[in-house]
Amino acid sequence: MAPFPSHPIPLLFLLFSFLPLLSLSAVDQPYKTYIVRIDSQSKPSIFPTHYHWYTTEFTDAPQILHTYDTVFHGFSATLTPDHAATLSQHPSVLAVFEDKRQQLHTTRSPQFLGLRNQRGLWSDSDYGSDVIIGVLDTGIWPERGSFSDVNLGAIPARWKGICEVGERFSASNCNKKLIGARFFIKGHEAASGSMGPITPINETVEFKSPRDADGHGTHTASTAAGRHVFGASMEGYAAGIAKGVAPKARLAVYKVCWKNAGCFDSDILAAFDAAVKDGVDVISISIGGGDGISAPYYLDPIAIGAYGAASRGVFVSSSAGNDGPNLMSVTNLAPWIVTVGAGTIDRNFPAEVVLGNGKRLSGVSLYAGLPLSGKMYPLVYPGKSGVLSSSLCMENSLDPNMVKGKIVVCDRGSSARVAKGLVVKKAGGVGMILANGMSNGEGLVGDAHLIPTCALGSDEGDTVKAYVSATSNPVATIAFKGTVIGIKPAPVVASFSGRGPNGLTPEILKPDLIAPGVNILAAWTDAVGPTGLDSDTRKTEFNILSGTSMACPHVSGAAALLKSAHPDWSPAAIRSAMMTTANTFNNLNQPMTDEATGNVSSSYDLGAGHLNLDRAMDPGLVYDITNNDYVNFLCGIGYGPRVIQVITRSPVSCLEKKPLPENLNYPSIAALLPSSAKGATSKAFIRTVTNVGQPDAVYRFTIQAPKGVTVTVKPPKLVFTEAMKKQSFIVTVTANTRNLMLDDSGAVFGSISWSDGKHVVRSPILVTQIDPL
């Protein structure tokens, strides 16, 4: 396996001090947005406020976009690179970094989490009515039934937020359900100024207000906390009762992402700052980078904002990203963030391609228009020509003479799946077969296509292409089978779900767990049709989407219920309860598999397993983590005190003997053994558990050792009493790295479980080899 990056001491807060002096005068230099991290304690007493200090000493007032004072101390401003470089040398400035753009990670799921009405978690917590979930996303369509406040009690008295008015959004759009709404646009507007590379917001299709023009934010908010809506469906698909995971929890929305324009770091940080100040208990953020490239924690505003939130007791749930099944594709890696991958649920929307030779191929579709009614149509694969754009059915790539009146085979990738159908339709095609390539494998998601379409896995796609090239007059039809419930096996890890290992700090296993993220029905905006395409004029109250974006709010809603039932639990305790009780078996009672390969999935795919809320309610033991533990972890990965202060806000000091990052009290264990070692190598891990079950309890361990690895545990049992709620233990992992047979992902996997006869507290163990750089 390729060596992991080591942890050099980063001094990037001096990022701009080494830039060569540019030959342009300051006037000619382009303005860019920078986020400036200030040591707030160094403010001279002469200034009444930090804002006065910033506008006097650092930059002019018109340049400042946001000031931050809760999760982060400092400001964002439009500056020239020279000005930014000068600022970075100021003794009160801890860091200066350029604003960057992030992307969105785009009715049966509550039952599938182990939630049953009036039983277990839903009844015990009064459905979370005292908990406030903040959703950082594209805003909300407030009129949806999912956001009704019928029979909800008074807004929690501690709430300090507002309902910000703007285009088509008034104070009356908030209620006892949607208790707050704000929008953050200054970072985006600065980036799209006259000299910026970003397209300005198109006000004909977007609202300068918390109103959602995209749909993503409405969908995630209602997934976390939507009220019961009867008779919900998306054009007849997935019919039934729609409800969020925590239907009585309150919602506060923070619009940071803009239609077709992404989400800027400076705006995201401002939203974190506002949400924590407003009094949210949970933050749900289905946003992040892509391509498996993660900025170090001190340059990542989601990590910085999330630390500020978690250190004040706010649970932060984020999506693992949609760049799976590639290894090291997981994003949002900070150990104080809960990182959520996606699994399937036991509901599907099957469709079938019938070829002229009688072969039937199974796929999926959410097409709801006029069916083909069994009529056979000529079949064509434009990719036969060898032209890539034609094989992908890109805009203007299809010859109408070739596709008119035919079903067209299009390869998946490079453009939106639904947009390919529109290209086929414009060229006169009557239907589309969307074929996966190798990278997507057999992973399928349903789409509300504008023409009759069936998505096929790569094997079936190859079968269709082989039939086209071997037949002189190939024909086919597509049949749509509606909604099927009780699919087995489920859950299966979605092929797109971001995978480990953790590319920043491999000592921490990511993702943490998976939750439902494929074909999820939830509320939708009225501003666009279900495909999100400009030409899609259909209106729908609900839409079915897939992505780790959909999995993240399931965990946010679950955290609200757990917080409601256990108000004294920290964010780390809530995460621990979810991870140590997660399922690793599917509904056939077999180990969960990976949609991309069909093989048994590993901890790099599903973390600790699939969320099981009923069990998380009563986990027995939890692995708690304090702010001080996180500081020791940051010291352990080589960050110096000034760099750590960028994240933690308050000054810190690191011990002379560097703590080991793997001793962070995480509910999973990742053993990194040096591949150069001769003979057996051992690594010891210290963990501490807190008893949250019956006061008098005795726990004994069982080990599933990774293949070729010996695992020992001391002491052999943990005895808890009323007076003794915490106990520590040491796990020692030993292996001979010379003959360790690692799997395709470069690791071997096992687990340690503690049980008192009633509870089982399970933690994954992974062992991998690294070459010290």
Side-chain angles (χ1 to χ4, degrees):
M1 179 170 184
F4 284 108
S6 67
H7 305 300
I9 295 179
L11 292 171
L12 281 183
F13 53 82
L14 296 176
L15 190 60
F16 300 100
S17 52
F18 304 115
L19 287 175
L21 284 170
L22 302 179
S23 54
L24 292 170
S25 71
V27 177
D28 294 325
Q29 279 195 329
Y31 277 85
K32 293 178 174 179
T33 301
Y34 293 90
I35 298 169
V36 182
R37 172 73 175 84
I38 301 287
D39 178 359
S40 64
Q41 293 173 342
S42 60
K43 177 178 81 68
S45 57
I46 187 172
F47 297 108
T49 67
H50 282 88
Y51 180 77
H52 281 90
W53 180 35
Y54 300 159
T55 52
T56 308
E57 195 159 332
F58 299 109
T59 189
D60 299 330
Q63 268 18 95
I64 289 190
L65 305 175
H66 298 292
T67 56
Y68 311 107
D69 59 13
T70 303
V71 300
F72 184 84
H73 282 298
F75 60 89
S76 52
T78 51
L79 309 168
T80 63
D82 273 3
H83 189 167
T86 307
L87 277 188
S88 71
Q89 313 228 19
H90 190 289
S92 297
V93 173
L94 294 170
V96 179
F97 41 98
E98 202 177 316
D99 202 8
K100 289 203 164 45
R101 178 157 55 164
Q102 306 288 347
Q103 298 299 338
L104 292 160
H105 285 154
T106 232
T107 52
R108 273 175 59 84
S109 49
Q111 269 78 8
F112 201 61
L113 294 175
L115 278 177
R116 296 284 183 275
N117 233 359
Q118 305 308 336
R119 233 197 75 224
L121 202 47
W122 274 11
S123 52
D124 289 353
S125 63
D126 187 31
Y127 295 68
S129 64
D130 51 344
V131 179
I132 302 161
I133 302 175
V135 182
L136 276 58
D137 213 297
T138 64
I140 196 162
W141 197 265
E143 292 81 6
R144 291 296 181 228
S146 299
F147 311 122
S148 155
D149 67 353
V150 173
N151 298 328
L152 272 186
I155 293 169
R158 61 198 161 79
W159 175 245
K160 300 187 194 70
I162 61 165
C163 196
E164 193 176 354
V165 299
E167 190 184 346
R168 287 194 60 194
F169 203 94
S170 68
S172 63
N173 284 126
C174 291
N175 58 20
K176 287 184 291 187
K177 174 67 179 177
L178 176 60
I179 63 172
R182 297 178 184 263
F183 64 100
F184 300 84
I185 195 173
K186 289 176 181 172
H188 187 284
E189 286 184 328
S192 59
S194 56
M195 289 182 274
I198 309 298
T199 316
I201 281 166
N202 179 349
E203 292 188 45
T204 59
V205 296
E206 178 57 281
F207 308 100
K208 276 197 184 177
S209 76
R211 186 169 287 279
D212 182 8
D214 179 277
H216 191 277
T218 300
H219 199 278
T220 54
S222 63
T223 299
R227 301 297 301 275
H228 292 70
V229 178
F230 297 89
S233 79
M234 198 286 290
E235 301 210 312
Y237 283 100
I241 300 167
K243 57 185 172 293
V245 179
K248 285 193 180 174
R250 318 301 174 129
L251 278 168
V253 300
Y254 299 84
K255 181 173 175 178
V256 294
C257 301
W258 299 83
K259 188 173 166 68
N260 305 329
C263 340
F264 279 83
D265 284 346
S266 56
D267 294 333
I268 292 170
L269 202 48
F272 265 111
D273 217 49
V276 174
K277 221 182 300 184
D278 288 348
V280 303
D281 301 294
V282 174
I283 288 175
S284 190
I285 176 163
S286 292
I287 300 168
D291 308 325
I293 298 164
S294 297
Y297 304 130
Y298 58 88
L299 293 179
D300 176 359
I302 293 179
I304 294 168
Y307 182 89
S311 66
R312 286 174 160 79
V314 178
F315 181 97
V316 182
S317 168
S318 73
S319 42
N322 298 338
D323 290 322
N326 302 324
L327 284 172
M328 220 188 279
S329 52
V330 60
T331 65
N332 292 321
L333 303 172
W336 46 85
I337 293 176
V338 181
T339 311
V340 189
T344 63
I345 58 175
D346 61 344
R347 176 182 67 199
N348 207 358
F349 309 104
E352 199 172 54
V353 172
V354 184
L355 300 178
N357 61 9
K359 270 196 182 154
R360 293 175 172 270
L361 306 171
S362 298
V364 300
S365 184
L366 293 170
Y367 172 72
L370 290 171
L372 297 180
S373 305
K375 185 180 171 188
M376 288 284 183
Y377 288 88
L379 185 61
V380 62
Y381 174 46
K384 220 167 128 179
S385 63
V387 178
L388 184 63
S389 61
S390 302
S391 74
L392 293 164
C393 300
M394 304 293 279
E395 195 72 48
N396 301 320
S397 69
L398 300 183
D399 177 359
N401 298 322
M402 186 180 163
V403 304
K404 194 168 187 215
K406 296 177 184 175
I407 292 174
V408 181
V409 181
C410 297
D411 288 329
R412 184 172 165 184
S414 299
S415 62
R417 298 180 299 271
V418 287
K420 296 175 190 292
L422 195 59
V423 172
V424 171
K425 187 180 181 183
K426 278 184 186 162
V430 296
M432 175 172 73
I433 295 170
L434 187 61
N436 276 7
M438 284 291 289
S439 62
N440 297 111
E442 303 309 306
L444 298 174
V445 290
D447 293 300
H449 290 282
L450 291 159
I451 62 167
T453 296
C454 178
L456 296 178
S458 71
D459 291 351
E460 285 89 346
D462 289 347
T463 302
V464 174
K465 291 172 198 172
Y467 165 71
V468 171
S469 59
T471 312
S472 50
N473 292 306
V475 292
T477 190
I478 304 170
F480 302 96
K481 304 293 181 74
T483 305
V484 176
I485 284 169
I487 298 286
K488 291 181 178 180
V492 169
V493 178
S495 63
F496 57 76
S497 187
R499 310 302 170 98
N502 178 331
L504 273 185
T505 38
E507 299 89 348
I508 304 296
L509 172 66
K510 290 285 180 175
D512 290 311
L513 74 169
I514 63 168
V518 178
N519 295 335
I520 302 301
L521 179 84
W524 191 243
T525 176
D526 238 10
V528 290
T531 60
L533 295 172
D534 294 341
S535 56
D536 186 355
T537 55
R538 297 173 292 177
K539 300 281 184 225
T540 177
E541 185 172 352
F542 293 90
N543 198 6
I544 294 168
L545 297 185
S546 299
T548 53
S549 274
M550 284 61 252
C552 166
H554 280 87
V555 167
S556 312
L561 295 183
L562 287 164
K563 182 88 178 165
S564 189
H566 302 283
D568 56 333
W569 282 9
S570 69
I574 292 173
R575 168 178 52 203
S576 173
M578 291 182 189
M579 286 177 67
T580 61
T581 60
N583 290 342
T584 57
F585 284 77
N586 59 31
N587 56 6
L588 293 172
N589 208 27
Q590 291 169 342
M592 273 181 218
T593 54
D594 179 355
E595 187 180 46
T597 61
N599 299 334
V600 171
S601 52
S602 78
S603 303
Y604 279 166
D605 308 323
L606 47 66
H610 188 281
L611 179 62
N612 180 326
L613 257 174
D614 269 357
R615 284 214 300 261
M617 181 71 172
D618 179 20
L621 306 175
V622 294
Y623 293 81
D624 210 351
I625 302 178
T626 65
N627 295 343
N628 205 37
D629 294 332
Y630 288 129
V631 170
N632 284 337
F633 164 80
L634 293 168
C635 293
I637 62 172
Y639 288 10
R642 277 179 74 88
V643 171
I644 295 173
Q645 196 182 340
V646 173
I647 300 164
T648 60
R649 303 181 315 285
S650 44
V652 301
S653 57
C654 290
L655 299 168
E656 206 157 303
K657 185 172 186 242
K658 218 161 66 167
L660 295 170
E662 59 265 33
N663 279 338
L664 180 67
N665 200 36
Y666 218 71
S668 54
I669 291 174
L672 278 49
L673 302 179
S675 52
S676 53
K678 294 186 171 84
T681 311
S682 292
K683 204 150 214 191
F685 300 84
I686 303 167
R687 291 290 186 270
T688 302
V689 282
T690 306
N691 182 17
V692 294
Q694 299 301 321
D696 295 309
V698 179
Y699 280 81
R700 291 178 171 82
F701 70 85
T702 50
I703 293 288
Q704 271 191 311
K707 198 175 169 189
V709 176
T710 308
V711 180
T712 58
V713 182
K714 283 181 181 171
K717 62 180 183 181
L718 303 176
V719 180
F720 297 93
T721 63
E722 188 74 62
M724 186 63 83
K725 287 190 162 55
K726 287 182 188 288
Q727 291 286 6
S728 296
F729 59 93
I730 296 176
V731 177
T732 305
V733 173
T734 308
N736 187 331
T737 51
R738 288 294 164 93
N739 48 24
L740 193 57
M741 296 293 289
L742 303 177
D743 73 4
D744 292 344
S745 66
V748 282
F749 302 90
S751 65
I752 174 173
S753 301
W754 290 96
S755 179
D756 62 351
K758 179 190 174 191
H759 306 92
V760 177
V761 186
R762 179 186 174 278
S763 291
I765 298 175
L766 76 92
V767 179
T768 185
Q769 292 174 256
I770 59 162
D771 301 313
L773 293 181

